[in-house]
């Protein structure tokens, strides 16, 4: 079993002020901003891989011992709400080791 492994898919973008926590991550929707955070502090930045495709963000990390054995892994998936503007997605790795992904919901025009 992978230590610190979690997978979640959540289409919560329609809720205002929504927050949900997971063992390694947290989803928040504040106004028009969708945000999720995951703690990757146990991994070196170069060991963290972020993949984005079809409104799905995946975070993978592996920690390897000097002898080449894998000592820790993390796999984290988050489905962005359908109304998120894919161009607005930003990533930030804070000094505390928390990776934060933010995206803006697309502005709807009234016709």
């Amino acid at each position: 079993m992978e230590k610190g492994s979690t997978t979640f898919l959540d289409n919560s973008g329609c809720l205002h002020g929504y927050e949900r926590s997971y063992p390694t991550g947290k989803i928040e929707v504040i106004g028009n901003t969708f945000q999720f955070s995951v703690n990757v502090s146990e991994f070196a930045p170069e060991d963290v891989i972020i993949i984005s495709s079809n409104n799905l963000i995946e975070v993978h990390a592996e920690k390897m011992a000097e002898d080449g054995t894998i000592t820790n892994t993390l796999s984290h998936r988050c489905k962005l709400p359908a109304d998120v503007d894919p161009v607005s997605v930003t990533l930030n790795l804070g000094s505390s080791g928390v990776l934060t992904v933010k995206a803006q919901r697309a502005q709807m025009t009234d016709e």
Side-chain angles (χ1 to χ4, degrees):
M1 176 126 190
E2 297 176 341
K3 181 181 175 192
S5 176
T6 186
T7 299
F8 64 91
L9 299 175
D10 198 329
N11 194 11
S12 60
C14 61
L15 301 175
H16 175 74
Y18 179 80
E19 180 177 318
R20 188 166 184 181
S21 294
Y22 294 88
T24 59
K26 179 169 70 171
I27 295 174
E28 296 178 277
V29 177
I30 303 167
N32 285 332
T33 302
F34 176 87
Q35 171 179 308
F36 81 89
S37 303
V38 60
N39 186 341
V40 294
S41 62
E42 294 184 27
F43 304 93
E46 59 271 14
D47 295 334
V48 179
I49 298 168
I50 300 137
I51 302 166
S52 175
S53 178
N54 297 326
N55 274 26
L56 182 66
I57 305 285
E58 297 182 57
V59 179
H60 302 281
E62 254 184 18
K63 184 185 244 183
M64 212 174 281
E66 288 183 24
D67 65 1
T69 59
I70 297 171
T71 60
N72 195 3
T73 63
L74 176 131
S75 182
H76 191 86
R77 297 173 59 191
C78 182
K79 183 176 181 182
L80 299 175
D83 64 348
V84 162
D85 177 7
V87 177
S88 73
V89 176
T90 60
L91 304 165
N92 180 50
L93 181 58
S95 59
S96 65
V98 174
L99 175 68
T100 303
V101 178
K102 289 185 181 182
Q104 298 298 312
R105 296 173 69 185
Q107 297 296 318
M108 303 302 245
T109 57
D110 293 330
E111 294 185 29

